[in-house]
Amino acid sequence: MSNSTPATIEDVARIAEVSIATVSRAIHTPEKVANSTRLKVSQAIAITGYTTNAMARSLRLGRSNMILVVAPDIGDPNFSNILVGLENEARSHGYGVLIGHTQNEPQRGLEYLKFLNSNQAAGLILFTGILPFGHQTMTARLPPSVGVFEPVFNGGIPYVGVDDIEGARKVVDLLLAEGHRKIAFIGDSRTRLAYSRRRQGYEAGLDAAGVPAVQRVVFEGDGTIESGRLAVEQLFMRDTLPTAFMCVNDQTAIGVMIGLGARGYDIPRDFSVTGFDDVPQASFMSPSLTTIRQPRTAIGKHAMALLLELLTDGHPPETEILLRPDLVVRNSVAAPSRQWIKR
Amino acid sequence: MSNSTPATIEDVARIAEVSIATVSRAIHTPEKVANSTRLKVSQAIAITGYTTNAMARSLRLGRSNMILVVAPDIGDPNFSNILVGLENEARSHGYGVLIGHTQNEPQRGLEYLKFLNSNQAAGLILFTGILPFGHQTMTARLPPSVGVFEPVFNGGIPYVGVDDIEGARKVVDLLLAEGHRKIAFIGDSRTRLAYSRRRQGYEAGLDAAGVPAVQRVVFEGDGTIESGRLAVEQLFMRDTLPTAFMCVNDQTAIGVMIGLGARGYDIPRDFSVTGFDDVPQASFMSPSLTTIRQPRTAIGKHAMALLLELLTDGHPPETEILLRPDLVVRNSVAAPSRQWIKR
DNA sequence: ATTGGCCATGTAAAGGTTTACATCGGTGAG
DNA sequence: CTCACCGATGTAAACCTTTACATGGCCAAT
């Protein structure tokens, strides 16, 4: 019963009085086994507490039933809910999900590459636009892979994300509708494609509204709280301030709000601030943050579904799935004010 | 070179003109192989790009080189840094780390149990006081395991955490020193042992200060932001209010601050609030939160070290490792005020 | 010169599973 | 009644490693 060594298929076969082949078939292709035999086998399994040795199975099959999800930082508030979508979809197809995180260190990425190369995972979900494996990576050696949020630079890897341009466009259009003309964009990035797309939406919106380029301010940033705060500091060095801060993500927006708060300004009376992502915190802040909701669970679900198709069919059904971003209007946006000029 | 099927040990052996046994030895026990041969082998490995098939290796060895970390919620702000400690320690001993999360659903836990039972992980790190596998779990069947934060209920599993009682004591002593006497404890829980220990620290501190039990208010809570906000709502229904809210964790404290803020109170002028954990957000809030720092990376490191010892020696060197919690004084605590009574 | 021992290497089995192929019994058509 | 076929089951090989044991060569001691 509670033996020291786990039961093998042979133990089951002996008890069920069949061959190990029949046991294997009873488990994986039950339709090929007579009803009576199937019953005997399942009883034997119950008695022994048998579970398939995944090592042996994967060795024989040449593939595992695990999907590796690699993210630069699992602490990212965006990550958790995506994972739920990923896992649900995977499990309903008999796959398990394992998580790796690289902290942007190529060294860590290489560990996972080794993991992949030794066939311990059937597929890969990547949470970063950059292959986290350093340069020597042969993409050819990667298992079927799908990106999330951003296309993967090395190309050839389909991805699932939100339409960043459209999302940014919705934000900038809201700000314009409130009467803002001087809108700063905080957090442009050359390394994160999603961020530069959000900037594209920003530019497109201002173009459409006829706001001249000289009135635009674009700030580099890495999407951290600190980068948002820094941007505020630096903007106050300049002569002209924007009336609204359109931030590349919620973290940046939090930083901006902290920076403005530290200088004694009130949001949204003195300045409007917007984010992107709708992290859980966004609704709890004061003021609560107007932002773009990422359909996280849906993104996870689609990404995994895409990967599973790739796994079975070999060819990606499509190379890019963009979901619709929704604007979430809260309390961090109001009509522009010039009161701070009077000071 | 970039063949469709990955190179096996046999390919390496052929190129190096030795037997597969020698290749295996050259890799794992190089001292048993002549220098010249070792060189030939490593050249052959370079040529073929060989990496050992972990499936086959684990099958043969009967154990894998992966450690499974199971947490109820990887979005927990406490989790990320612990993981860093865990991973560094594991990697430096040749182990890899994989993460699972259960979302408190036993169903999910069972998936991981299957993973463990099929020998796909050599050891287990548990982030919850409750075995996440439902009732039918035979603890006997679990691989060597270590708990983090809390002892695991089923017993027999060593754990690493912070001295919750002492930490809570430090907080309550600070509040007492500021002159508070009516201190509410928000977030007691029967299911989370760490939480009830923090309450023990609270009680011990008040006992030592001679604060009578009738002046104490203890609120149940599950440690979420929402639970903190709820506690405030309910406390305002009562006739006597505390002057300080000592919260079981930072999330609860955030909820309390939101609740108090919504009623127009200022912290720390009107009320003092404290947390526990020092999540990253704690320093960014306004006011910044006085709390207890968890030495997260150290906890992770110790937990993994303990597990590795268990893996090699078989017996746990000790059953409980408690690290020292540090008080982090910020701006959410001040002397008590009675101004709200006048309203 | 013989022998014993040691070092480097090879041979082969084992680990648990899946599956192509073989076998066997039974059923239906001729 | 015979034969062909089909469905259910068994046999055995293969997946890739690791390692106990066997082998063989060489040196040192007798």
Side-chain angles (χ1 to χ4, degrees), chain B residues 138-159:
Chain B
M138 307 170 249
T139 324
R141 276 278 187 96
L142 287 181
S145 309
V146 168
V148 172
F149 285 142
E150 299 182 325
V152 177
F153 272 135
N154 257 14
I157 297 180
Y159 90 101

Side-chain angles (χ1 to χ4, degrees), chain A residues 10-11 32 38 62 65 78-79 92 118 133 143 158 179 191 223 240-241 254 343:
Chain A
E10 209 148 346
D11 300 327
K32 291 191 179 174
R38 205 183 317 157
N65 64 148
N78 273 308
F79 185 66
S92 74
S118 53
F133 309 126
T191 55
T240 58
L241 279 171
I254 292 171
R343 296 196 183 181

